[in-house]
Amino acid sequence: MTPTDLTVHIERGLADLRDLVALPSVSAQGRMLPETAAAVRALLETEGFTVHEVPGDVAPVLIAEAGEGPATLLIYNHYDVQPEDPLALWDSPPFELTERDGRLYGRGASDDKGEFASRLAAVRAVKARHGGRLPLRVRWLIEGEEEVGSPSLDRVVREQAEHLHADGCWWEFGAIDPEGRPVLSLGLKGVMCLELRCRVAASDLHSSLGAVVDNPLYRLARAVTSLRDDEGRLTIPGVLDDVRATSDADRAAVAQIPGDGQAMRDTYGVTRPLATGAGYHDRLGLMPVVNVNGWGGGYQGAGSKTVLPAEGFVKLDFRLVPDQDPARVLDLLRAHLDAQGLADVEVVELEAHQRPARTDAAHPFVWACVAAAREAHGTEPVVQPSSGASGPMYPFQAALGVPCVAAGIGNAGGRVHAPNENILRDHFARGVAFGVALLERLAAPPT
């Protein structure tokens, strides 16, 4: 079924998206979360889904089910969005879906309301082809806390496991690259956000006392430079011991990923790349990394101020890979700093961490997704064993044993989390076509 054949379902899906974007469901600020959950529930129930609501720490979690057949597909999405700030940088109202030159702008247009609306449109199209019947079981988990770290998700998945078991999980995001190739990701890195803090006095001092009083910013600099080498590889003793060996299928998948990051380097004007050529995708998807997100302390105004600051801080995030445990990495970091004579550098966890997850590229559900992408897009998909980004995939694999594949409608200029977030109308249509191809393939009798 081509996008042209799907026109009525695509247009209805875009109408759903317009209504959902109009709801400012900003989880970080607790805005319109029950109202948006109710709107999503109504859309699902209209299509015959039985929906029950599970209370979350921040927002309701919806678990839905419909259909019957030889396979069960689990779909994960979220209805919460990032704040719209800074408002002045939007070219159109953030909570009003606006089309310009084939792009649809609005907060959540891509992340994640556009993904949800395109998938629901695919369900409608498949039902229409089967006389109003859904020829496989579709289970759906839709949360409202993803943009604040999904604090309830692990608990909900474990408590509701009997309602969530499936042959595979269609993850909440995905992309179509600038050459029109669908990009499928089979995993996500874990993430752990920390702050290093150091204090040497009750108040700032005159900088002449730097001869006899240590400097907290110097101690933080020592701490940070001890975490990785000049090539970006982690140097904390023991931190790489648990990294899972890459399977033959994963290595083959990495080897066929086109490009070496040059488009990214050109887009952002990168002057110090850490990986190019054949090592680019290997490092991006399969190796852990530590990032310095921000540094504070001391005088930062115009001109000079001869001061010895009393305290300072550094914000870090670690991106981890299977089978690294964030709690163990935290323990190794503490032991490493102590061994460096930096016991006075405090380590503070900033938010709940997420563990890494990855589906083996040889899994049959991956093959089904690849075949559906090839059919819907008319080109060979790019298969990434892992995205460089992070998300709450781990509970689905740990508690349910479900293989997960991310495939969706994002684009390189989609500005997700930024002003003027957008999708391409054509990509929305192709996302619907992929959903139809995947559902039909899973509904077919096993061969």
Side-chain angles (χ1 to χ4, degrees):
M1 183 180 287
T2 68
T4 302
D5 301 325
L6 294 172
T7 299
V8 64
H9 303 292
I10 292 166
E11 292 304 317
R12 186 173 173 190
L14 289 172
D16 292 340
L17 178 56
R18 186 170 293 105
D19 292 341
L20 291 171
V21 166
L23 299 170
S25 49
V26 180
S27 51
Q29 300 167 353
R31 292 160 59 190
M32 294 291 286
L33 298 172
E35 295 86 347
T36 308
V40 171
R41 178 173 189 155
L43 287 169
L44 290 167
E45 289 178 339
T46 298
E47 298 309 319
F49 282 85
T50 300
V51 184
H52 72 276
E53 186 174 301
V54 180
D57 298 344
V58 177
V61 180
L62 304 178
I63 297 177
E65 182 173 322
E68 187 175 349
T72 299
L73 174 66
L74 175 63
I75 308 177
Y76 166 70
N77 286 107
H78 63 91
Y79 60 82
D80 62 321
V81 299
Q82 284 282 317
E84 68 273 29
D85 301 40
L87 187 59
L89 297 184
W90 285 83
D91 295 328
S92 52
F95 297 109
E96 181 180 313
L97 193 66
T98 305
E99 185 166 4
R100 297 191 299 275
D101 301 322
R103 289 185 184 266
L104 296 153
Y105 294 85
R107 177 58 87 223
S110 177
D111 184 18
D112 188 49
K113 294 173 178 178
E115 300 283 8
F116 167 72
S118 66
R119 297 172 185 197
L120 187 59
V123 167
R124 288 194 189 107
V126 171
K127 286 176 59 182
R129 293 181 64 177
H130 292 267
R133 182 180 67 88
L134 193 56
L136 75 164
R137 179 179 288 108
V138 174
R139 290 173 164 168
W140 218 318
L141 187 150
I142 308 169
E143 64 158 322
E145 304 178 351
E146 196 273 346
E147 300 293 6
V148 290
S150 300
S152 308
L153 191 62
D154 184 80
R155 169 182 61 81
V156 170
V157 169
R158 293 178 188 279
E159 291 177 353
Q160 302 294 322
E162 64 180 298
H163 303 295
L164 298 172
H165 284 295
D167 297 297
C169 177
W170 183 6
W171 199 250
E172 54 104 357
F173 74 92
I176 300 170
D177 73 12
E179 286 72 41
R181 295 174 296 225
V183 180
L184 310 185
S185 296
L186 312 186
L188 294 169
K189 287 186 174 181
V191 63
M192 181 173 67
C193 296
L194 307 174
E195 192 170 287
L196 304 184
R197 300 174 184 171
C198 185
R199 173 180 282 275
V200 300
S203 70
D204 290 354
L205 297 88
H206 192 285
S207 67
S208 64
L209 293 172
V212 292
V213 177
D214 206 347
N215 190 302
L217 302 187
Y218 174 80
R219 296 190 67 71
L220 290 169
R222 274 192 59 201
V224 169
T225 56
S226 74
L227 303 182
R228 47 156 274 196
D229 62 20
D230 289 343
E231 303 302 317
R233 296 181 179 86
L234 294 179
T235 52
I236 302 169
V239 79
L240 298 179
D241 292 352
D242 297 329
V243 172
R244 181 187 300 174
T246 308
S247 70
D248 291 342
D250 285 343
R251 289 198 179 280
V254 169
Q256 60 82 44
I257 299 175
D260 66 350
Q262 188 61 52
M264 179 275 293
R265 294 191 289 274
D266 291 343
T267 298
Y268 294 103
V270 173
T271 59
R272 287 194 55 82
L274 288 173
T276 59
Y280 175 81
H281 293 292
D282 198 67
R283 291 279 296 276
L284 182 63
L286 303 179
M287 293 301 296
V289 64
V290 61
N291 299 289
V292 179
N293 306 135
W295 202 305
Y299 179 66
Q300 298 185 22
S304 65
K305 181 182 180 183
T306 52
V307 62
L308 170 60
E311 61 182 333
F313 69 88
V314 179
K315 293 182 182 292
L316 306 173
D317 76 66
F318 285 80
R319 300 283 172 163
L320 307 176
V321 300
D323 294 303
Q324 291 181 301
D325 180 349
R328 172 167 158 77
V329 173
L330 188 65
D331 289 343
L332 291 171
L333 171 62
R334 180 70 271 169
H336 168 68
L337 294 176
D338 292 348
Q340 299 295 309
L342 297 168
D344 60 319
V345 173
E346 183 184 6
V347 180
V348 179
E349 292 184 80
L350 297 182
E351 58 188 52
H353 51 243
Q354 292 177 346
R355 296 186 62 158
R358 187 186 306 153
T359 294
D360 195 292
H363 196 284
F365 180 67
V366 175
W367 303 345
C369 292
V370 169
R374 188 183 297 123
E375 176 185 340
H377 294 270
T379 187
E380 195 65 24
V382 176
V383 180
Q384 296 179 332
S386 179
S387 166
S390 303
M393 187 181 284
Y394 178 80
F396 291 81
Q397 296 191 347
L400 305 176
V402 174
C404 300
V405 176
I409 61 174
N411 70 91
R415 301 189 180 186
V416 171
H417 290 202
N420 298 312
E421 178 181 346
N422 69 85
I423 57 172
L424 288 160
R425 174 182 275 270
D426 175 62
H427 286 185
F428 186 92
R430 291 168 65 182
V432 176
F434 169 79
V436 171
L438 178 61
L439 293 169
E440 292 283 13
R441 186 169 292 275
L442 294 175
T447 62

